[in-house]
Amino acid sequence: MTSDMHALAAAYSLDALDAAESAEFEQHLAACDTCSLDVREMRETAAVLALTSLEEPPAALRDAVLARVRLTSQGSPDSDAAAVVDLAERRTRRGPATRWLTGVAAAAVLVAGGLGVTTYQASQRADQAQLASDQITALLADPEATVERADVTGGGAGTLVASPSRSQAAFLAASLPVTGPDETYQLWAIDDQGATSVGLLQPDSGQAIALVDLPPGTTTFGMSVEPAGGSPAPTTDPVLLVELSA
Amino acid sequence: MGLRARLDLLMPQVAKGEDDAFAQLYDAVAPAVFGLARRVLRQAEQAEEVAQEVLLEVWQQASSFDAARGSALAWIMTMTHRRSVDRVRSVQAASYRELRVGSRSQDRPHDQVSEAVEQHMEAEAVRDCVDELTAIQRESVTMAYFDGYTYPEVAARLKTPLGTIKTRMRDGLIRLRDCLGVTA
Ligand SMILES: [Zn+2]
């Protein structure tokens, strides 16, 4: 039987054994130096074989993975992983002629991911940062979530990962141009009646991650450059528009 | 510098939690991870999910990676292959398998995989070594590795006895190993 087992090292290295045979071989492997060496060498060989099948993954995957890496520590949850700006106070303002903020119940939190920006120290804020970080992680891991990517006018790109219900989204921005000292990026949920602010974005080194709540009926997500502190309604042309898929 | 050496250099920094190093590692290895997952799973969405899982696991498990037990490339590609194959063999994936079998004729020809490959010197060397194999060695190895078939499935498809496939798989890999100069 032992020599039969040795003969399975190649098939095992290629994951070509069924579950039962694989388990049987692993028992043998634990005690067989010959097969241990064979499997190591064969796995190295198979890995090199993969170089004949390179394919560039979609850019959105890079954004999603690197965003999660910034939010995910390698061990326990990392308190430095996120800094939060609570925008609740901004959300009480109302703009003329639009439904700016009305009907938006849940608080939006804005997260600058893994950037060492510590805007608030209070533990309540830290909890909120952790919550936002967890929610973003869950959203990015949700196979039902939709991912849309768009270039930002003036440079950079944004990726919107929307929950299946379209009630929440993570917005990941990369390589954004630095805004002037009197300017800020502002995020908008847009429906047939106009634009509702869902937060300000303060990128650090051009990168930012925001968790936003989308009001029911939102069809499009947008971003514009606004005067510092934000505007009740967009005052400039959007630098990014992402249509939510139905 | 080859991909294997490059990844081995980056891993210690990644293990220290340096996300810049991870971004470099991502750029270096993601095409191999996504490309292999795509070959096995056929569907881009499935391949993206596997690639995301694997690359995040590389980040999270970086400190437990042991260079004495093999290269980072082998570690990452073993993970990628295992997860892809698990998916393709799971009950839910039964329909994918049918789809895969049905769409085999649409496969990209072996000699024009992608532009990225053409630029890749290493890939050329690997392909030269693959070409050195006998037809049955090559089929045994690539059907298991790129299509995710078990060796009995390969035997059935090639209408060849089980024992022969087992042996050819082994001979093929050993010949590749020697041709590529791979050491553990
Ligand atoms: Zn053995």
Side-chain angles (χ1 to χ4, degrees), chain A residues 32-113:
Chain A
C32 177
D33 290 343
T34 310
C35 284
S36 299
L37 181 64
D38 276 357
V39 167
R40 273 174 47 182
E41 287 186 344
M42 286 171 174
R43 280 192 164 150
E44 295 287 346
T45 305
V48 176
L49 209 51
L51 301 182
T52 63
S53 192
L54 302 180
E55 186 172 345
E56 207 58 51
L61 183 72
R62 187 180 197 273
D63 296 345
V65 169
L66 295 189
R68 283 193 64 187
V69 159
R70 283 188 213 105
L71 290 167
T72 315
S73 69
Q74 291 165 308
S76 54
D78 186 351
S79 56
D80 293 334
V84 164
V85 181
D86 190 329
L87 294 173
E89 69 276 15
R90 304 199 198 288
R91 310 177 108 259
T92 59
R93 291 204 256 147
R94 263 178 210 215
T98 66
R99 298 190 311 132
W100 152 241
L101 293 186
T102 41
V104 184
V109 275
L110 199 62
V111 178

Side-chain angles (χ1 to χ4, degrees), chain A residues 214-238:
Chain A
L214 301 173
T218 300
T219 56
T220 307
F221 175 86
M223 181 168 77
S224 64
V225 178
E226 299 294 333
S231 305
T235 60
T236 63
D237 287 339

Side-chain angles (χ1 to χ4, degrees), chain A residues 56-68 70 140 145-151 157-161 170 172-174, chain B residues 26 30 34 48-49 51-52 55:
Chain A
E56 207 58 51
L61 183 72
R62 187 180 197 273
D63 296 345
V65 169
L66 295 189
R68 283 193 64 187
R70 283 188 213 105
L140 295 179
T146 58
V147 181
E148 306 287 345
R149 185 185 152 94
D151 288 335
T159 301
L160 190 75
V161 184
L172 323 168
Chain B
Y26 178 98
F34 181 68
E48 273 184 62
E49 282 173 33
Q52 174 159 340
L55 290 158

Side-chain angles (χ1 to χ4, degrees), chain A residues 1-213:
Chain A
M1 277 315 284
T2 305
S3 62
D4 282 356
M5 278 289 145
H6 289 330
L8 288 179
Y12 175 80
S13 306
L14 294 169
D15 296 317
L17 300 179
D18 64 26
E21 225 171 356
S22 181
E24 204 182 338
F25 180 79
E26 277 173 359
Q27 275 196 331
H28 166 80
L29 184 63
C32 177
D33 290 343
T34 310
C35 284
S36 299
L37 181 64
D38 276 357
V39 167
R40 273 174 47 182
E41 287 186 344
M42 286 171 174
R43 280 192 164 150
E44 295 287 346
T45 305
V48 176
L49 209 51
L51 301 182
T52 63
S53 192
L54 302 180
E55 186 172 345
E56 207 58 51
L61 183 72
R62 187 180 197 273
D63 296 345
V65 169
L66 295 189
R68 283 193 64 187
V69 159
R70 283 188 213 105
L71 290 167
T72 315
S73 69
Q74 291 165 308
S76 54
D78 186 351
S79 56
D80 293 334
V84 164
V85 181
D86 190 329
L87 294 173
E89 69 276 15
R90 304 199 198 288
R91 310 177 108 259
T92 59
R93 291 204 256 147
R94 263 178 210 215
T98 66
R99 298 190 311 132
W100 152 241
L101 293 186
T102 41
V104 184
V109 275
L110 199 62
V111 178
L115 307 170
V117 182
T118 312
T119 315
Y120 293 94
Q121 300 289 350
S123 61
Q124 191 189 348
R125 309 284 181 174
D127 289 349
Q128 239 168 2
Q130 188 57 51
L131 180 66
S133 162
D134 291 349
Q135 284 177 328
I136 289 174
T137 303
L139 198 53
L140 295 179
D142 187 341
E144 303 289 308
T146 58
V147 181
E148 306 287 345
R149 185 185 152 94
D151 288 335
V152 174
T153 308
T159 301
L160 190 75
V161 184
S163 65
S165 64
R166 310 287 176 266
S167 61
Q168 199 175 52
F171 178 64
L172 323 168
S175 312
L176 291 182
V178 177
T179 54
D182 303 330
E183 292 173 332
T184 182
Y185 287 105
Q186 191 163 3
L187 308 177
W188 308 95
I190 301 162
D191 63 13
D192 51 10
Q193 297 182 58
T196 300
S197 175
V198 288
L200 304 184
L201 198 64
Q202 294 162 341
D204 185 277
S205 314
Q207 320 262 16
I209 304 165
L211 180 69
V212 294
D213 289 321

